[in-house]
Amino acid sequence: MPCSSLAEKKPANTLAARLARLGLRTDADYVLHLPLRYEDETRITTIRDARPGIAAQFEVEVIDSEIAYRPRRQLLARVSDASGTLILRFLNFYPSQQKTLQAGARLRIFGELHEGHLGPEIIHPRFHVVGANEPLPERLTPVYPTTAGLGQATLRRLIERALQRADLADTLPPALRKRLQLPEFAAAIQRLHTPPPEMAQAVLESRDHPAWRRVQFDELLAQQLSLRRAYTARRARGAPPLVATARLTAALLTALPFRLTAAQERAWREIAADLGQPHPMQRLLQGDVGSGKTVVAALAMLHAVEAGYQAALMAPTEILAEQHYRKLATWLEPLGLEVAWLTGSLKKREKEAVIARVGAGETPIVIGTHALIEDKVEFARLGLAIVDEQHRFGVRQRLALKEKGLFAHQLAMSATPIPRTLAMSYYADLDVSVLDELPPGRTPVTTKLVAEARRDQVVARVHEACRGGRQAYWVCPLIEENEVSAEANASAANVKRSGRSQNAVLQLKTAEETFARLSTELPDLNIGLVHGRLKTADKAAVMSAFVANEIQLLVATTVIEVGVDVPNASLMVIEHAERFGLAQLHQLRGRVGRGTDASACILLYAKPLGELARARLKVIFETSDGFAIAREDLRLRGPGEFIGARQSGLPLLRYADLEDAALVEQARAVAEDMLRDAPDRAAAHLQRWLGGREELLKA
Ligand code: ADP
Ligand code: MG
């Protein structure tokens, strides 16, 4: 069965496909598919004792049943036990159900009773026919997460079977379990699937029960083992130790119009030390927008070149790649280095020429988009691969990059600060350098929330700022834009029919409308428009006109979200800010406040605001600290979405909570010991939790 996230085809709607959708393949998968909640069918409640709103089981006899037509077609059955009578109401039903509910039938029903017009009733109860004195189940009934077309009964049967067959041997030795105060694996699992009735449901469902702790710990341990193993494997691989002369790096440092911040110095030292090692660096350079990551990347590239190797820098969007290209070209070409540029939108001939020079080792430095990792591109001596905003690349691209750069040193850069617990888990196989200070002389950005109704005042303010010699961005409402694919789409006609491209078209339309409207409202300003669908040359022309202050107001889609750097732009308006994510708003806002002028970011929002949108705007209004914002983002969205799990289509943590830092720490420590002292145990644990999915998880 192909993994659906990679095959991108809808699997057939068979039982196997439904099970695959839930990630159920091996016995271990079933064993680890744990209930969402439980229902208590171990007891019978009498109709008289039932409390409204609380699900309970009743044993009743059908008095009569009929199909009623008012207010709509429905099946009503009157049933009773010794204590009273109630109505079962079915708004959808099968003829077979009607047949079962014949007068005299003896039923067990399960559901929530409430007061209807005709007295107490239950809507859509679960029911089955029973004989007299049929024994009651001894365990609570598990309710599993499922998918359309897959019933609880089927799932229960399959899981029960797997529980009997599967190897439930403990992967934690008794002494360790005792120290961590965790129960045995088999006992914990049995208890969670089929809990005895005396277990309080509330405790089970709150997931604070020791049995849940055990599962959470095991899940985190699997994650840590997998990451540690990747880390070790990488350190065992060879990479060329890059022995530098410091000739080029020193020349750049002298030529720069500024001095490195202490944070940049530190990061640069850490990177340089890694590059000298005989195994591949895998480091993340993390720093808030504007913290100056590019110059650190430039130094690293020069280090590689000094050592006689090539360096490549890949960015997720063409605009961003181009910004890097220009900046690096202005810094590096005066040092006598050729900087090459490679994207999908180059003419075929130009592209081939660049690829040939790269392959012959004639070009020391290459900047580009994911065109850099296409099959045809072969580096003569790739020593260092840098990826900006790596999380914005898709899974497949990340895998391709991993292969291409297998023996090269790798540096990832990110302006999305990763909260500590995430760094400890998903990114545990990376070494991290942090730029925790901004270059001096920045003025903080004032953020204002303005209701759409006051748009005129905002337009007036933009006018005033631009007349006063400053520049502004106007960010168009978001529909959905995926720059990576937008760029790919430009050449691949087959994607044009997809829904995503529909959205891009819609967004383009909005951007063009906004541009037209602002052009009428502000006739004396030079206004530019930039979006993902522009041809590269046109995009470049608009951007350089903006850099040169020939354009005062730049109307843009989210293509300017990352990396764009125009210090004279000190005002940003974001229209329909309520539609943007937190990280995105933070990134966008980071485009201003780069010069010495006081800067402002105006968030225009339309009412009514949803709860989540309100929460996001509040956070972005109250804080400008990227780490605090990332933490809030994590809280509001959950970690899966945060790191692009949506993209990979894989479940990440199902039971454990990354906020549970203490448990993450414990799992990490145990993982280290286990890999060293009991590798077989570690392998068994990984097999149980990840099966064959480990490779994808790391991509
Ligand atoms: P980011 O980390 O967001 O990629 P950039 O590398 O684009 O940040 O840097 C933002 C701006 O700050 C650029 O104009 C860059 O030239 C400038 N810059 C970088 N380092 C320093 C420094 N140490 N002092 C002053 N300005 C700096
Ligand atoms: Mg940058």
Side-chain angles (χ1 to χ4, degrees):
M1 169 91 24
C3 172
S4 60
S5 66
L6 286 184
E8 271 170 24
K9 260 190 285 173
K10 268 209 181 124
N13 219 10
T14 58
L15 177 62
R18 290 180 188 133
L19 294 170
R21 212 172 300 147
L22 293 176
L24 299 176
R25 279 171 291 192
T26 63
D27 281 346
D29 292 339
Y30 286 95
V31 165
L32 296 173
H33 192 71
L34 294 169
L36 283 173
R37 57 190 181 85
Y38 303 89
E39 287 176 347
D40 188 353
E41 293 177 295
T42 64
R43 284 177 298 166
I44 304 281
T45 305
T46 60
I47 293 174
R48 195 182 45 216
D49 290 344
R51 278 181 295 156
I54 297 193
Q57 180 171 239
F58 306 90
E59 188 160 323
V60 295
E61 204 177 288
V62 178
I63 303 169
D64 53 27
S65 64
E66 59 165 351
I67 293 179
Y69 289 90
R70 265 177 314 196
R72 51 181 273 205
R73 188 169 179 270
Q74 50 187 286
L75 173 62
L76 298 176
R78 214 145 52 96
V79 300
S80 69
D81 65 9
S83 75
T85 301
L86 60 83
I87 303 283
L88 310 183
R89 190 188 291 276
F90 298 86
L91 302 171
N92 307 300
F93 57 93
Y94 298 108
S96 62
Q97 287 176 313
Q98 188 190 353
K99 217 178 260 164
T100 311
L101 295 172
Q102 263 171 15
R106 190 167 188 76
L107 309 174
R108 284 211 182 127
I109 58 182
F110 192 91
E112 270 176 35
L113 183 140
H114 67 101
E115 245 355 270
H117 308 305
L118 312 170
E121 66 173 36
I122 304 182
I123 298 173
H124 288 177
R126 213 172 59 228
F127 67 90
H128 63 277
V129 176
V130 289
N133 301 323
E134 184 147 314
L136 285 162
E138 285 167 13
R139 305 272 167 174
L140 297 178
T141 310
V143 180
Y144 293 105
T146 187
T147 180
L150 180 58
Q152 288 294 329
T154 312
L155 253 181
R156 270 181 213 138
R157 207 176 58 246
L158 291 169
I159 290 171
E160 238 162 67
R161 211 170 59 194
L163 276 169
Q164 280 157 18
R165 270 196 318 230
D167 172 13
L168 300 181
D170 214 304
T171 48
L172 302 183
L176 180 61
R177 278 201 313 266
K178 194 152 168 238
R179 180 160 67 76
L180 300 174
Q181 298 185 309
L182 293 172
E184 259 181 86
F185 178 72
I189 284 293
Q190 298 283 8
R191 175 147 288 219
L192 292 176
H193 281 291
T194 52
E198 69 275 11
M199 269 181 86
Q201 266 166 275
V203 173
L204 275 178
E205 285 165 16
S206 78
R207 304 204 163 177
D208 279 340
H209 192 275
W212 278 118
R213 294 292 286 172
R214 172 66 206 252
V215 168
Q216 290 156 355
F217 178 83
D218 277 20
E219 182 175 43
L220 290 169
L221 178 62
Q223 190 188 48
Q224 293 296 324
L225 283 171
S226 161
L227 291 164
R228 291 297 309 175
R229 215 160 64 160
Y231 184 89
T232 321
R234 173 163 57 79
R235 294 194 63 101
R237 269 201 324 262
L242 303 181
V243 184
T245 62
R247 180 178 65 84
L248 294 167
T249 48
L252 175 63
L253 288 172
T254 313
L256 284 176
F258 51 76
R259 290 169 57 104
L260 295 187
T261 63
Q264 284 170 321
E265 290 268 9
R266 188 172 4 97
W268 163 227
R269 266 201 313 276
E270 288 165 352
I271 292 166
D274 280 3
L275 292 175
Q277 299 290 314
H279 46 76
M281 166 171 82
Q282 195 150 314
R283 188 170 280 278
L284 174 68
L285 175 60
Q286 192 182 310
D288 209 345
V289 276
S291 59
K293 295 183 289 292
T294 319
V295 67
V296 178
L299 289 166
M301 293 177 104
L302 289 178
H303 181 119
V305 175
E306 283 172 5
Y309 285 85
Q310 292 169 297
L313 190 158
M314 181 166 90
T317 72
E318 184 141 349
I319 285 208
L320 181 52
E322 196 172 326
Q323 285 261 332
H324 281 311
Y325 170 63
R326 285 199 217 189
K327 189 126 218 177
L328 290 166
T330 36
W331 283 341
L332 306 187
E333 281 176 356
L335 306 179
L337 294 179
E338 179 184 327
V339 181
W341 164 242
L342 186 63
T343 67
S345 62
L346 282 184
K347 291 210 185 70
K348 191 159 175 260
R349 272 252 224 66
E350 297 169 321
K351 202 168 161 186
E352 279 167 2
V354 175
I355 292 176
R357 289 184 61 72
V358 168
E362 286 158 5
T363 310
I365 290 188
V366 196
I367 319 280
T369 57
H370 60 279
L372 280 176
I373 46 169
E374 277 171 15
D375 294 343
K376 286 168 296 189
V377 185
E378 280 191 35
F379 290 85
R381 291 184 316 280
L382 184 62
L384 169 67
I386 304 184
V387 190
D388 200 10
E389 302 295 336
Q390 170 159 353
H391 61 280
R392 292 173 56 110
F393 286 96
V395 194
R396 229 173 314 194
Q397 288 157 335
R398 277 183 270 176
L399 279 173
L401 175 74
K402 220 171 120 190
E403 270 163 31
K404 190 135 310 204
L406 203 54
F407 299 102
H409 297 278
Q410 284 196 30
L411 179 67
M413 302 197 287
S414 175
T416 309
I418 300 164
R420 204 174 80 88
T421 44
L422 264 186
M424 273 194 318
S425 46
Y426 291 108
Y427 294 95
D429 69 331
L430 291 181
D431 296 306
V432 181
S433 297
V434 182
L435 298 183
D436 53 6
E437 74 184 299
L438 294 181
R442 297 279 166 81
T443 44
V445 181
T446 314
T447 301
K448 292 209 160 70
L449 287 169
V450 178
E452 176 68 30
R454 287 167 50 208
R455 185 177 179 280
D456 284 352
Q457 291 170 25
V458 173
V459 172
R461 172 141 186 209
V462 169
H463 189 228
E464 195 185 327
C466 292
R467 298 290 297 171
R470 276 163 295 154
Q471 290 170 275
Y473 297 99
W474 190 290
V475 182
C476 295
L478 185 74
I479 293 167
E480 188 211 280
E481 173 121 334
N482 184 327
E483 270 297 298
V484 174
S485 68
E487 191 190 341
N489 289 358
S491 55
N494 60 339
V495 197
K496 290 243 166 75
R497 288 179 296 271
S498 76
R500 175 184 283 156
S501 131
Q502 276 293 329
N503 275 338
V505 169
L506 264 177
Q507 178 157 34
L508 176 57
K509 190 163 158 277
T510 326
E512 279 168 346
E513 282 166 7
T514 308
F515 173 70
R517 181 166 172 196
L518 285 167
S519 301
T520 330
E521 288 167 329
L522 300 167
D524 59 335
L525 295 188
N526 286 330
I527 305 182
L529 171 63
V530 65
H531 54 74
R533 288 302 182 97
L534 280 186
K535 289 212 187 74
T536 311
D538 297 343
K539 228 185 293 184
V542 176
M543 288 312 291
S544 50
F546 191 58
V547 171
N549 200 357
E550 287 153 17
I551 287 175
Q552 285 107 46
L553 175 60
L554 184 64
V555 178
T557 57
T558 46
V559 295
I560 59 152
E561 180 186 341
V562 278
V564 172
D565 183 30
V566 180
N568 192 46
S570 59
L571 179 61
M572 167 170 288
V573 180
I574 304 179
E575 217 178 326
H576 278 294
E578 77 279 1
R579 293 187 195 163
F580 291 83
L582 256 186
Q584 216 164 16
L585 289 171
H586 179 62
Q587 297 279 325
L588 284 167
R589 183 171 59 182
R591 300 307 111 211
V592 290
R594 300 188 150 230
T596 41
D597 279 334
S599 293
C601 178
I602 299 178
L603 305 175
L604 267 177
Y605 65 90
K607 290 178 195 171
L609 279 180
E611 205 174 310
L612 190 61
R614 183 185 301 272
R616 284 197 300 249
L617 291 180
K618 182 167 184 288
V619 171
I620 206 79
F621 177 70
E622 285 175 353
T623 172
S624 58
D625 172 354
F627 278 87
I629 290 173
R631 250 192 327 273
E632 284 303 305
D633 205 19
L634 179 67
R635 202 175 56 75
L636 292 172
R637 292 198 297 173
E641 221 179 320
F642 190 91
I643 62 161
R646 277 281 169 83
Q647 273 190 54
S648 75
L650 287 166
L652 292 155
L653 289 176
R654 290 182 284 169
Y655 307 117
D657 183 353
L658 273 182
E659 297 282 280
D660 197 342
L663 206 62
V664 176
E665 296 268 22
Q666 277 180 348
R668 187 160 70 155
V670 170
E672 236 165 273
D673 293 348
M674 196 182 256
L675 280 173
R676 190 188 50 237
D677 305 333
D680 291 352
R681 231 186 251 285
H685 191 85
L686 275 171
Q687 181 59 34
R688 172 176 288 162
W689 278 89
L690 299 178
R693 278 167 294 194
E694 206 186 345
E695 268 314 303
L696 277 167
L697 212 61
K698 291 193 308 256

